[in-house]
Amino acid sequence: MLTACMLPLRMLGLLMLMLSLCDADSICPTELNPLTLDVPRVIEKYGESVEVNCTSTEADHNGMYWRIGNNDSRFIFGESLISQSVSLSEWNVTAECRIILNETHECSKELEITIYQNPTVAVFPVNRAVEGTLFELQCNITDVAPVQNLVVRWFKDNQTIRTDNFTNTTTTPVSESSTLAVNISRAEHGAEFRCEAQLDFGSHGPQLPVDSEIYIVSMNYAPEFKNTSEDFFVHEGDDVTLNCDAEGRPQPTFHWKHDGKKLSDTNNLNITRVNTSGTYNCSAINSLGSITKEIHVHVTMNIPAAPAVITTPAVITTPAVITTPEPYTPRGCPLVLTPAKIVVRFGDPVSINCSTSVAVPIKMGWEVTSGDIRDNGTSVTWSLEKVEDWSIKSACFITYGDNGIDRQCYVELDITLYKTPDIVSVSALDSGPVMVGTEIQLKCDIINVTPVQTLTVRWYRGTDILRTDVLDENRRIPVNMSSIFNFTAERDYNGAEFKCEAELQLETNRPDLGHNLTSSPYTAVVHFAPEMNEGTYSKEVNLDGHVTLNCSAEGNPLPDLHWNYTTAENVRETTRGHQKSLTITGATCTNAGFYICVATNKVGEVTSTVTLKMKGQISVFPWWLLIGLIVIFIVIVIVIVVFIVLKHYKKLGRYSFDLDRANDGSDIPMAPQSNGTEDTV
């Protein structure tokens, strides 16, 4: 009964053992896995294909094959290398190399696959840029994968202001967005905001292109006048143009009125043959507001009764007044202005003398809006402590008798107001380092300068002048200007300093006054592939000697260095600064061979080979060892020959006839001789 019960239990154990053996096919101990992939991880663009080699250290196997997704390739037998082309046209494709070691073990090595698709960027404003309100920009990034490697950077005028990363782990293309909220002032009108998107796989991964888009801010504000009231002087019968320039964004529209009557819808009002004085109203209107300015036109019909007379001359210093000393006399008018022309820095004092050759003028004076007038009979001096009106005009007039007829004439002063720049700066339109051979575009910003038509911009690399720009724009009020300089990046430009100089070319006789301003330097960062300092060479070393092999390279970014060679206990690697060395102590024949130094950075890779040879091998060969080996060989041969001869002699031994064995019916009546002597029969 007990035996009958034990039989099913034994069968159940056998069945469990068989099942465990069947399942053993899928078990591959890590220490037994002979497979390696020459590219264990691939990062490639969607739709491409990659070629991968799978190598086995075990040549004796029952077959190697690739499994792509759910499909197996044909089996390869008797080989230790199998190649496979993997198409990356499916986002979730898998690939693994497999080997059947025996009936119980099958191993595999999976290829790590990352498929990417570069992003596409679009930037648009969420709301309108209005002074005093928060302005938002949105950057849409479409069809990017894998999104966890996406980096989005925001720049303002080439300065990084924000960086976004994403945690979504999906591997298929998705769309993401980044919103930037900033406070913008009126002075930042025209500021450039740039959104850049790039897939970042680290320093050892592929360096993929950046997609970006720039949005230039247009700051909106209500119209404003610098002066809400102006006075304009004109001679009777002359033409005059009134200006209604107003700052505002959007660009304002204009409306002119005089005595309640609508005149024009342009910013300039032309009046011909002015006869009477009057007040003209100009209104500037945009979507954010409106403002009105009054312009009072004064028509000079008669010479003023008497010019202002200052009995005590004012003491006025003119450190930034630049004059042309030659007097100026208009044709047919007996007036002389000294100086004839004057260049004044805005905010500095000015003083002009007007004289006449008429012995006794009827009337003489200055038509000005401000300042002090000093009358000396046949000369009149106009002085102003601070010139603070960009539209300043002044004229000296005279009424005199000519053969019983009263004649009148006037001379306008040729005055130029200037202002040196507040800031001169250089920036790159594309931030960050550039590759050798690509174009670099630099921008020189000159802030708040006038007159522009006298402005010259010079570009420098170090102390060398690269280019000179002469700006030709007739602007008499301070404006912001810029100059663009393009050039191709070269290796020698890495670390070079570029700067620009802005200079007002004023017609002066005061070279001691500085009218130029130079920017801070822009330092170029140019990336280039490594270049070996040592190159390929050969070196000799004595047996048991010491030798050092050096490797260094230049490149930007600084290259990583490593040696490829057959490792040995007497070879030691050392790093000193940017040099990596191999030191071989007690050199042996096994140290001879090729030592390859590899320099790598994100731009490229370069190698240098050192061939190490052993010197004087023949002269130092241990002949005593060779002779000893030969002697041992001869002794062994002699021993073998003697052994063979003795064995053969024993087989040929001598025998005698045994009578007793013959009588008892034995088959062979012979017996060997014991003493080796021959017996007779």
Side-chain angles (χ1 to χ4, degrees):
M1 184 64 181
L2 180 61
T3 303
C5 293
M6 291 297 294
L7 183 59
L9 292 176
R10 291 178 180 177
M11 293 181 64
L12 180 60
L14 180 60
L15 180 60
M16 293 179 64
L17 177 61
M18 292 176 62
L19 290 175
S20 63
L21 291 176
C22 291
D23 188 56
D25 287 345
S26 61
I27 298 174
C28 177
T30 303
E31 65 275 7
L32 296 181
N33 195 336
L35 298 178
T36 57
L37 303 179
D38 63 350
V39 182
R41 182 188 182 192
V42 295
I43 303 174
E44 280 294 341
K45 188 177 181 180
Y46 176 77
E48 301 289 335
S49 61
V50 293
E51 189 80 17
V52 185
N53 293 328
C54 178
T55 305
S56 171
T57 57
E58 180 64 56
D60 185 13
H61 56 78
N62 293 343
M64 293 177 65
Y65 65 99
W66 278 91
R67 177 169 292 172
I68 309 300
N70 296 322
N71 299 318
D72 294 343
S73 68
R74 66 185 183 89
F75 278 65
I76 301 297
F77 301 94
E79 299 288 342
S80 59
L81 173 67
I82 180 173
S83 299
Q84 179 67 32
S85 178
V86 181
S87 175
L88 306 179
S89 56
E90 295 182 9
W91 288 103
N92 297 317
V93 64
T94 59
E96 62 177 354
C97 177
R98 303 181 68 87
I99 184 171
I100 301 175
L101 297 177
N102 48 47
E103 291 79 3
T104 59
H105 290 91
E106 180 174 351
C107 296
S108 65
K109 182 71 70 174
E110 185 173 1
L111 175 65
E112 295 183 36
I113 300 175
T114 301
I115 304 176
Y116 70 83
Q117 183 163 288
N118 285 317
T120 301
V121 169
V123 178
F124 63 91
V126 177
N127 57 344
R128 190 178 183 185
V130 178
E131 190 173 32
T133 63
L134 196 64
F135 177 56
E136 291 187 357
L137 285 172
Q138 182 167 311
C139 179
N140 286 344
I141 306 98
T142 56
D143 295 332
V144 59
V147 71
Q148 62 265 32
N149 293 98
L150 177 65
V151 179
V152 176
R153 297 181 180 89
W154 283 97
F155 296 83
K156 179 185 176 184
D157 292 333
N158 297 316
Q159 298 292 325
T160 305
I161 58 176
R162 177 173 163 180
T163 301
D164 288 341
N165 299 95
F166 300 86
T167 58
N168 190 343
T169 58
T170 182
T171 58
T172 57
V174 296
S175 296
E176 290 285 354
S177 64
S178 174
T179 302
L180 178 70
V182 289
N183 286 308
I184 303 295
S185 66
R186 183 182 311 182
E188 295 174 295
H189 172 73
E192 291 184 350
F193 286 85
R194 184 172 77 255
C195 177
E196 286 187 357
Q198 182 184 27
L199 289 173
D200 184 2
F201 292 101
S203 58
H204 298 292
Q207 304 303 307
L208 300 181
V210 176
D211 192 51
S212 64
E213 186 169 285
I214 294 176
Y215 182 85
I216 300 177
V217 174
S218 178
M219 176 54 62
N220 297 284
Y221 56 94
E224 291 182 358
F225 291 116
K226 289 188 176 180
N227 299 305
T228 57
S229 178
E230 289 185 10
D231 290 286
F232 213 96
F233 294 85
V234 62
H235 291 284
E236 183 180 16
D238 286 352
D239 298 340
V240 67
T241 299
L242 305 182
N243 187 277
C244 189
D245 283 341
E247 293 186 357
R249 204 167 288 111
Q251 182 67 33
T253 58
F254 302 95
H255 304 285
W256 287 92
K257 288 185 178 181
H258 176 58
D259 292 338
K261 182 179 179 181
K262 184 177 179 181
L263 300 178
S264 174
D265 290 331
T266 61
N267 64 324
N268 293 325
L269 178 64
N270 297 316
I271 307 174
T272 58
R273 302 182 64 83
V274 180
N275 295 317
T276 60
S277 300
T279 299
Y280 294 80
N281 296 316
C282 172
S283 297
I285 305 169
N286 69 10
S287 58
L288 297 177
S290 64
I291 192 171
T292 300
K293 177 169 78 171
E294 291 184 345
I295 301 179
H296 306 285
V297 177
H298 305 275
V299 177
T300 304
M301 294 183 294
N302 297 306
I303 302 302
V309 177
I310 300 176
T311 57
T312 303
V315 178
I316 300 176
T317 59
T318 59
V321 177
I322 305 160
T323 64
T324 303
E326 295 80 5
Y328 170 66
T329 304
R331 186 174 182 179
C333 187
L335 292 177
V336 176
L337 297 183
T338 306
K341 295 181 180 180
I342 188 167
V343 179
V344 186
R345 184 171 61 195
F346 186 79
D348 281 354
V350 64
S351 179
I352 306 294
N353 182 64
C354 177
S355 59
T356 180
S357 58
V358 176
V360 183
I362 299 174
K363 299 295 180 184
M364 187 175 177
W366 284 89
E367 288 185 359
V368 292
T369 57
S370 60
D372 299 321
I373 299 173
R374 186 170 55 205
D375 187 3
N376 295 316
T378 58
S379 67
V380 182
T381 301
W382 170 61
S383 300
L384 186 61
E385 291 186 1
K386 288 186 178 181
V387 181
E388 295 180 328
D389 183 3
W390 290 106
S391 61
I392 187 171
K393 291 183 179 180
S394 60
C396 180
F397 66 87
I398 185 173
T399 301
Y400 61 98
D402 183 13
N403 296 324
I405 300 175
D406 290 349
R407 297 187 181 279
Q408 181 184 20
C409 66
Y410 68 95
V411 179
E412 291 188 357
L413 174 64
D414 186 353
I415 182 171
T416 300
L417 295 184
Y418 77 90
K419 182 184 180 304
T420 56
D422 293 337
I423 299 173
V424 176
S425 62
V426 173
S427 60
L429 295 186
D430 291 325
S431 63
V434 297
M435 301 295 180
V436 168
T438 60
E439 186 177 82
I440 298 179
Q441 191 174 61
L442 299 182
K443 181 182 180 185
C444 178
D445 290 310
I446 305 103
I447 307 300
N448 211 22
V449 63
T450 193
V452 176
Q453 61 267 30
T454 67
L455 183 63
T456 299
V457 179
R458 298 183 187 88
W459 285 93
Y460 293 85
R461 183 179 72 245
T463 58
D464 298 331
I465 298 178
L466 304 177
R467 196 180 79 185
T468 300
D469 290 342
V470 178
L471 304 184
D472 184 15
E473 187 172 337
N474 189 16
R475 302 289 292 273
R476 297 284 181 175
I477 60 175
V479 293
N480 299 337
M481 300 299 295
S482 62
S483 172
I484 303 296
F485 177 51
N486 299 321
F487 63 96
T488 302
E490 300 177 8
R491 173 187 166 176
D492 294 341
Y493 290 172
N494 183 51
E497 292 185 343
F498 294 81
K499 59 186 177 182
C500 67
E501 177 189 54
E503 180 179 9
L504 291 173
Q505 300 284 338
L506 300 171
E507 297 179 5
T508 74
N509 65 340
R510 293 287 305 277
D512 57 307
L513 295 178
H515 305 120
N516 63 323
L517 187 64
T518 303
S519 69
S520 297
Y522 166 83
T523 303
V525 179
V526 181
H527 281 182
F528 55 92
E531 294 183 7
M532 288 293 186
N533 293 326
E534 290 80 9
T536 297
Y537 63 96
S538 297
K539 204 163 189 177
E540 292 185 341
V541 63
N542 290 322
L543 283 172
D544 205 34
H546 308 318
V547 66
T548 298
L549 310 179
N550 297 321
C551 177
S552 61
E554 295 185 6
N556 194 27
L558 192 67
D560 293 326
L561 301 174
H562 70 272
W563 284 94
N564 291 334
Y565 61 95
T566 302
T567 58
E569 292 184 356
N570 61 338
V571 180
R572 180 170 56 91
E573 288 191 29
T574 57
T575 301
R576 187 173 185 179
H578 301 315
Q579 177 175 283
K580 181 161 283 192
S581 303
L582 290 180
T583 301
I584 303 172
T585 57
T588 66
C589 294
T590 58
N591 294 127
F594 299 107
Y595 293 78
I596 302 173
C597 180
V598 183
T600 307
N601 66 10
K602 65 192 303 182
V603 183
E605 179 179 289
V606 66
T607 62
S608 173
T609 302
V610 181
T611 304
L612 185 63
K613 301 178 180 178
M614 309 309 293
K615 184 168 58 176
Q617 294 186 32
I618 297 176
S619 61
V620 298
F621 188 81
W623 291 105
W624 57 269
L625 179 61
L626 179 60
I627 295 172
L629 291 175
I630 294 174
V631 171
I632 293 173
F633 177 75
I634 293 173
V635 171
I636 292 174
V637 170
I638 293 174
V639 171
I640 293 174
V641 170
V642 171
F643 175 77
I644 293 174
V645 170
L646 291 177
K647 188 174 182 180
H648 181 68
Y649 181 79
K650 185 176 182 180
K651 288 183 179 180
L652 297 177
R654 298 182 180 275
Y655 298 85
S656 61
F657 183 77
D658 190 343
L659 184 60
D660 294 332
R661 295 180 64 183
N663 294 329
D664 61 13
S666 300
D667 292 334
I668 303 176
M670 303 292 292
Q673 294 181 353
S674 60
N675 57 5
T677 59
E678 185 176 348
D679 296 333
T680 58
V681 178

